Amino acid sequence: MRNRSDLSAAHVAAEREARLEPELDAQTARLAALGFMVAGVCHEVSNPLTAIHSMVQLLQSGTLPPETVERGLANIATNVQRVLAITRKLNDFSRVSGAARCPVLLDELVVEAVQSVRQNALFRDIDIEHVRGPGLAVMGVREQLAQVYVNVLLNAAQAMEGRGRVTIECRRVDSATGEVSIRDTGPGIAPGHLARLFEPFFTTKPPGQGTGLGLAVSNGIVLEHGGAMQAENHAGAGACFR
């Protein structure tokens, strides 16, 4: 028969395990996402680097017409920008866990995100409705959470080709959980793409128009904050990210 001190120690151990479990789940999910990213980086970075290497060899081969040199340098600059875009996204992902957190109102984050995207000409003919959930707050890194909403809004605007409506709703699910849904009036998500949306480097955009890291980084940020990110097609047409 176990004595009282043994039962007390077991109780403390059980409480500690219960507290750690959500953190471990989030960390495991983040490491899995990071693993996918690293595998993707090896492929994505090798393409522009190969192009740069080939162009440098061509430029070093001897005297070339000025127009050929100009085109070669432009090609190198374009591919360098591709690599820099990938590294910037990876830096965003790697900074998630180390930043200090504080209480932030979800409605304030949405307002900041909307103000940010309004500077983009792509939103000139897009109506944005914000359904507020007053007082709904979470512990988090303000800039990172706002960036999640910016990334989803940019995706919505691109899907609607700069014309349509976005509805953002903040609501309380229960005493410990809040939800932000972002719904657009675009063509929706192809069934074959739904399962891959948050994969690093997966993109439906033409080459050179996206790194395929925006949603992957956003998903990593949400997981790190103990949440979940989902996407679905809305019954009334368009896509909805929660």
Side-chain angles (χ1 to χ4, degrees):
M1 185 174 178
R2 298 167 68 185
N3 61 36
R4 188 171 298 176
S5 62
D6 289 338
L7 292 174
S8 177
H11 180 70
V12 170
E15 283 189 342
R16 183 182 299 132
E17 185 176 345
R19 287 196 303 269
L20 288 174
E21 189 171 337
E23 296 178 14
L24 290 173
D25 287 344
Q27 185 68 5
T28 299
R30 184 169 176 269
L31 288 173
L34 184 59
F36 279 117
M37 278 195 182
V38 171
V41 166
C42 294
H43 173 72
E44 290 294 319
V45 172
S46 67
N47 289 336
L49 289 180
T50 299
I52 291 170
H53 179 67
S54 299
M55 194 54 61
V56 168
Q57 285 185 316
L58 177 63
L59 294 176
Q60 289 177 333
S61 63
T63 304
L64 298 171
E67 60 271 16
T68 302
V69 174
E70 187 175 346
R71 285 198 303 270
L73 292 174
N75 180 280
I76 290 173
T78 297
N79 282 289
V80 167
Q81 289 301 318
R82 286 178 61 190
V83 174
L84 289 175
I86 291 170
T87 57
R88 279 194 296 268
K89 291 291 186 181
L90 290 173
N91 281 334
D92 290 342
F93 186 83
S94 66
R95 284 197 297 264
V96 172
S97 61
R101 302 182 184 188
C102 62
V104 289
L105 292 170
L106 292 181
D107 282 312
E108 290 184 1
L109 295 175
V110 170
V111 169
E112 291 176 16
V114 171
Q115 290 175 343
S116 176
V117 299
R118 279 298 185 196
Q119 311 303 316
N120 192 316
L122 194 59
F123 285 82
R124 188 174 298 139
D125 296 318
I126 292 178
D127 295 322
I128 300 178
E129 178 187 6
H130 178 190
V131 181
R132 295 173 179 265
L136 192 56
V138 297
M139 288 295 294
V141 183
R142 188 183 199 90
E143 296 79 9
Q144 292 169 355
L145 290 174
Q147 187 60 44
V148 171
Y149 305 139
V150 168
N151 289 343
V152 176
L153 287 170
L154 287 172
N155 270 29
Q158 290 163 348
M160 296 187 295
E161 297 182 344
R163 189 177 300 273
R165 184 179 186 82
V166 174
T167 302
I168 309 170
E169 181 178 1
C170 300
R171 72 181 189 93
R172 186 179 300 280
V173 177
D174 55 40
S175 60
T177 311
E179 178 184 89
V180 178
S181 64
I182 302 177
R183 177 188 167 194
D184 63 54
T185 56
I189 306 166
H193 295 163
L194 270 171
R196 302 190 61 196
L197 283 179
F198 303 116
E199 288 183 13
F201 301 106
F202 175 75
T203 179
T204 59
K205 300 183 182 75
Q209 294 188 21
T211 61
L213 281 173
L215 289 179
V217 169
S218 297
N219 189 44
I221 291 172
V222 173
L223 287 171
E224 185 69 23
H225 281 77
M229 194 169 179
Q230 301 171 332
E232 62 187 10
N233 283 316
H234 197 274
C240 183
F241 284 79
R242 303 185 191 280

